[in-house]
Amino acid sequence: MGSRTIYLETFGCQMNELDSELVAGQLANLGYRFTDRADRADVVLYNTCSVRENAEQKVWSRLGDLKKTKAVNPGLVVGVLGCMAERDGAGLMDRMPVVDVMCGPSELDKLPALIDNAVRTRESLVTADLPASEISAKESALQGGASRRSGTLAAAGDSLEYLDLSRSVSPIDPVGSARRSAYVRITRGCNKFCTYCVVPFTRGAEIHRPPAHIIEECQRLADTGVTEITLLGQTVNHYRFEHDSAVEVDGMTQPQKGRAFRGGHRRDPLAGDRVTTFADLLYEIHERVPSVSRLRFVTSYPRDFGDDVLEVIRDCPRICRYLHVPAQSGSDRILSLMNRGYSVGEYDEFVHRAREALDQPEIGRPLMISGDIIVGFPTETDEDFAETVSLVERSRYKSCFIFKYSPRPGTVAIDKIPDDIPDDIKRSRNNALLSIQNRISDEIGREQIGRTFDILIEGPSQRALKATGLSSRDAHRALGGVQLTIGGESAIRQSSDAVSMVLEHSDDDMVQFSGRTDGDQIVLFDVARDDARELPGSIRRVRIERSSGLSLFGSLLD
Ligand code: SAH
Ligand code: SF4
Ligand code: F3S
C-alpha cells in the first residue's frame, strides 16, 4: 500500500476535524501518503456533515465533480465518511455510484480495512481490463439506525476507543511537531434528541471516555509541544464516569454509557472516588498536565452547568474564561417544541450565575460567552423571534452562530411539525439577528480597549500570510491550528514554515502576528522580525489599542 495517495476533506464540526485527524494518523501509519489535490489522489475521502441540508449539498456537488475524474482514472476509490454516510445509509451508493466506501462516524476504526479492500478490488478489475461500467468495489461500515453501538460496547471492547488512543502514540503525527493546539474527545454521541437534530442518529448514544485515557492523551499531546487543548463533546459538561461500574476488556477500561444525570447547580452527591464529574475531570487535567497553558471545552449544554464546574474554572488559572452555550431560541414555546429541556428563565439564570462567578475584566479575564441560535423553527411567530432578539441582546455573546432551520430526515420535527416558515422570512430573521450580533460583538471589542491581556501567540496573521501569495485556505492551514482539511504533507510543511515564508516574502522590520485571549478573542499585533521565530506557542501580555469587527489590535508589553 506504500505508494497510495489520499485526499481527505473535512466538513462539519470539530468532532469531524478530530475524526479526520485520527483516521489520517492511522492511514499514515499504514503507509498511505496525503495530497492536497483531489485530481492526483488514488483515494478521495470526504468526512461529511448532515446537520443542515446545505452541508450535505456541498458533498453532493463534490461527488458530482468526481464522476469525470473517475472516468479518466477508473482505479480511483471514493469514500464518504461521517454523519452523512450514517444518515443516508447504503442508499447513498445507489444514488451516487461514484462512491465505493461508506463509513459512519462510529465505525471509523474499520476504515483502513475498507479502503484497503476497495483499492485492491478496483485495481484488480482495472487490470483485468473490464469496461468502466462493470468496475465496482462497494464497502461499507454503518452503525445502522436500529443498533446503537453502546448496547454491545462493553462486551465487544470498544475499538473506537483505540482509535482515539492511537493518535497520541502515533509515531507519524500528520500535523507534525509545529502543532500547538489540539482537540481531545471526552464524550461521544448525544442523548438529548432535540427535535431538529440529526446528531443522536448519526453519532449514536452518549458514551463517556475513561478519565485516565483522557488525561493520558492530554499528557502525550503536551509532551509533543501542544499548549492548548480543547475538550470535545456534544454536551461536554454532561461528562460523568462511574468507576464502580467500569468494565475492563483486555486490561483496558472501557468507555461508559451515559447514565441519568440529574443536572442542577450542586455537585453530584455521589461524586467522590466513585464518580468523576466534569468538574473533577477539568480539575484533574489542569493539575496533572500543567504544561497545557490553555484548557477549553465545547459545546456546553445550558442546563447541566453546576456551580462546581464554575468554581473549578474560577480557581484554575489555565482554564479559559470562554463558554460556548447555545440557547437556540429565546421563546419558551419554541424551546419546548425543540425539546431543549430548559426555559428562557433558566438560561438567563445560567448566564447571570456564570458572569457572577467568572467575569473579571479587571485582571484581563472578562468572561466571554458564545451561542448558537436557530431562526425560523416551525411555527416561530414574530413575537417568538422578538423574544430571541431580546435574549441575544441580554446574553451579550462575544459571537453567535445563527442558522436557518433546516428540516432533517429522521428527526421528530420533520415528521411532526411542518416546516411552515417561508425561506424569505427565515432569511430576514437571520439577517436581522446577524446585524444585532455584529453590533454587540463590536461593542464588546471596544470595551477591551485599554485593557491588558495574556494572549497565546499563534503565528503570522492571515493578512501576513496572504501577502505571501497563499490562498486563504492554505493560509488558514499554515497557521498550524486544529483545522485539518488534510493537505497532508504540504500542510505539515506549511505549518512549520509559516514564519519562514512570511520572513522570506517581506523585508519589513515588523511582521503582523495573531494570538488569542483566553476568552477566545483574536488579537493582532506587530512583532519585530528577529523575534518572529520564537514567539508562536508562547503566552505574552498585550495592551489593546483599538478594535474592528471581531479583531482586537494591540501591542506587546515587555
Ligand atoms: N451539541 C451542540 C450542537 C451541535 S449541532 C448543542 O446542543 O449545543 C451545532 C448547531 O447546529 C446547533 O447548536 C444548532 O444551532 C444547529 N443546528 C442543529 N440542527 C439544525 C437544523 N436542523 N437546522 C438548523 N440548525 C441546526
Ligand atoms: Fe443535537 Fe441537541 Fe444533542 Fe446538541 S444537544 S447534538 S442540538 S440533539
Ligand atoms: Fe455535522 Fe455530524 Fe458534527 S452532523 S455538526 S459532523 S456531529
Side-chain angles (χ1 to χ4, degrees):
M1 286 290 101
S3 57
R4 297 283 165 267
T5 308
I6 297 182
Y7 172 85
L8 168 58
E9 186 169 349
T10 307
F11 302 82
C13 65
Q14 296 107 325
M15 287 288 172
N16 262 13
E17 288 175 27
L18 175 56
D19 284 341
S20 283
E21 182 187 334
L22 297 176
V23 295
Q26 282 226 325
L27 292 165
N29 279 340
L30 293 171
Y32 288 96
R33 300 187 318 127
F34 287 87
T35 170
D36 55 5
R37 296 269 310 258
D39 56 349
R40 293 198 184 154
D42 303 302
V43 180
V44 171
L45 301 176
Y46 295 125
N47 193 6
T48 60
C49 174
S50 257
V51 80
R52 284 170 293 277
E53 196 187 349
N54 56 11
E56 294 196 344
Q57 271 160 0
K58 279 189 212 153
V59 175
W60 287 116
S61 96
R62 292 279 202 289
L63 291 173
D65 294 345
L66 281 181
K67 275 190 215 152
K68 283 196 205 105
T69 322
K70 208 158 176 169
V72 180
N73 174 12
L76 178 69
V77 166
V78 175
V80 174
L81 327 177
C83 290
M84 195 175 154
E86 191 60 55
R87 197 192 69 68
D88 269 305
L92 189 142
M93 293 207 250
D94 298 334
R95 219 177 123 187
M96 198 52 95
V98 78
V99 176
D100 301 289
V101 172
M102 291 189 52
C103 188
S106 306
E107 310 293 326
L108 287 171
D109 47 303
K110 307 194 177 89
L111 184 68
L114 299 178
I115 295 180
D116 196 32
N117 286 343
V119 166
R120 280 172 208 276
T121 312
R122 285 208 82 88
E123 267 182 4
S124 61
L125 295 174
V126 171
T127 317
D129 224 10
L130 284 180
S133 58
E134 286 178 33
I135 297 180
S136 166
K138 307 295 181 202
E139 299 282 338
S140 64
L142 303 167
Q143 177 186 231
S147 67
R148 298 189 102 206
R149 184 178 177 121
S150 60
T152 51
L153 173 73
D158 188 8
S159 42
L160 255 191
E161 183 62 16
Y162 287 101
L163 183 65
D164 278 77
L165 283 174
S166 72
R167 85 75 166 293
S168 44
V169 296
S170 160
I172 308 169
D173 178 346
V175 195
S177 58
R179 191 71 182 283
R180 308 277 178 208
S181 197
Y183 291 129
V184 170
R185 188 183 339 260
I186 67 170
T187 303
R188 301 196 195 104
C190 182
N191 283 354
K192 295 282 187 200
F193 290 96
C194 302
T195 53
Y196 51 81
C197 185
V198 292
V199 174
F201 304 100
T202 61
R203 294 263 165 186
E206 185 178 68
I207 291 167
H208 304 295
R209 298 185 61 208
H213 294 186
I214 297 167
I215 292 164
E216 183 191 315
E217 198 173 329
C218 292
Q219 184 63 61
R220 283 171 190 245
L221 287 164
D223 290 346
T224 68
V226 164
T227 47
E228 179 179 60
I229 285 182
T230 303
L231 306 177
L232 293 186
Q234 291 298 347
T235 53
V236 72
N237 49 331
H238 203 240
Y239 180 85
R240 189 172 189 278
F241 193 88
E242 288 184 19
H243 296 269
D244 283 353
S245 52
V247 175
E248 289 213 356
V249 176
D250 295 338
M252 190 180 88
T253 310
Q254 295 299 303
Q256 200 168 70
K257 258 170 105 163
R259 304 266 154 171
F261 179 85
R262 276 174 252 89
H265 301 176
R266 289 280 130 219
R267 189 178 155 79
D268 190 329
L270 279 179
D273 291 346
R274 293 163 51 205
V275 174
T276 298
T277 62
F278 181 58
D280 296 333
L281 182 72
L282 278 180
Y283 182 75
E284 286 277 301
I285 299 173
H286 182 269
E287 294 303 299
R288 298 237 236 133
V289 199
S291 59
V292 168
S293 43
R294 294 256 163 112
L295 185 58
R296 305 178 181 281
F297 50 89
V298 288
T299 302
S300 298
Y301 189 71
R303 208 194 53 201
D304 298 335
F305 243 115
D307 286 340
D308 54 348
V309 179
L310 299 179
E311 281 159 22
V312 167
I313 301 172
R314 185 194 61 206
D315 296 342
C316 294
R318 293 180 301 281
I319 302 181
C320 294
R321 303 281 170 104
Y322 171 75
L323 302 174
H324 180 63
V325 198
Q328 312 298 2
S329 169
S331 150
D332 277 334
R333 193 181 67 82
I334 297 290
L335 283 178
S336 157
L337 285 175
M338 288 177 162
N339 189 32
R340 284 292 285 180
Y342 52 83
S343 65
V344 175
E346 284 168 321
Y347 188 86
D348 285 341
E349 190 272 341
F350 155 72
V351 171
H352 178 75
R353 200 156 44 89
R355 292 215 194 272
E356 287 275 293
L358 301 175
D359 191 33
Q360 290 183 286
E362 63 289 353
I363 58 163
R365 305 198 75 192
L367 175 67
M368 291 293 157
I369 302 179
S370 64
D372 294 356
I373 295 284
I374 297 175
V375 295
F377 189 80
T379 78
E380 185 185 69
T381 60
D382 286 341
E383 289 72 37
D384 293 316
F385 178 64
E387 290 191 274
T388 297
V389 168
S390 158
L391 178 133
V392 168
E393 296 270 12
R394 288 195 302 278
S395 302
R396 294 193 62 73
Y397 297 123
K398 178 204 80 154
S399 55
C400 183
F401 297 98
I402 300 159
F403 304 107
K404 291 190 297 178
Y405 170 68
S406 168
R408 306 309 296 135
T411 60
V412 169
I414 198 174
D415 288 339
K416 300 259 162 71
I417 331 175
D419 177 25
D420 60 353
I421 309 296
D423 197 56
D424 57 336
I425 295 188
K426 286 182 185 165
R427 200 171 331 119
S428 76
R429 288 179 185 166
N430 191 325
N431 290 342
L433 212 47
L434 267 179
S435 74
I436 290 163
Q437 181 55 49
N438 285 345
R439 171 178 49 76
I440 295 169
S441 297
D442 223 47
E443 286 166 9
I444 291 178
R446 269 182 279 125
E447 282 164 19
Q448 314 311 321
I449 296 172
R451 290 180 179 163
T452 57
F453 292 91
D454 280 333
I455 59 162
L456 178 63
I457 298 184
E458 290 177 336
S461 68
Q462 294 268 4
R463 193 186 79 186
L465 282 163
K466 268 192 199 153
T468 67
L470 280 177
S471 70
S472 60
R473 186 173 130 184
D474 288 343
H476 185 89
R477 285 184 200 157
L479 286 172
V482 272
Q483 175 95 359
L484 195 97
T485 303
I486 251 199
E489 289 170 60
S490 57
I492 298 170
R493 187 180 57 71
Q494 285 161 5
S495 65
S496 51
D497 289 357
V499 176
S500 309
M501 282 192 306
V502 169
L503 292 180
E504 271 165 35
H505 179 265
S506 144
D507 298 331
D508 295 349
D509 292 342
M510 306 297 275
V511 181
Q512 192 186 56
F513 261 47
S514 69
R516 270 176 305 130
T517 67
D518 85 332
D520 208 37
Q521 289 191 291
I522 298 163
V523 182
L524 299 167
F525 52 97
D526 287 333
V527 304
R529 261 185 104 77
D530 295 345
D531 297 335
R533 285 184 202 283
E534 268 105 75
L535 286 172
S538 62
I539 293 207
R540 294 285 293 271
R541 199 93 184 142
V542 292
R543 182 185 305 284
I544 304 304
E545 285 147 2
R546 67 188 173 89
S547 87
S548 167
L550 287 177
S551 300
L552 305 176
F553 293 81
S555 50
L556 284 183
L557 303 173
D558 57 62

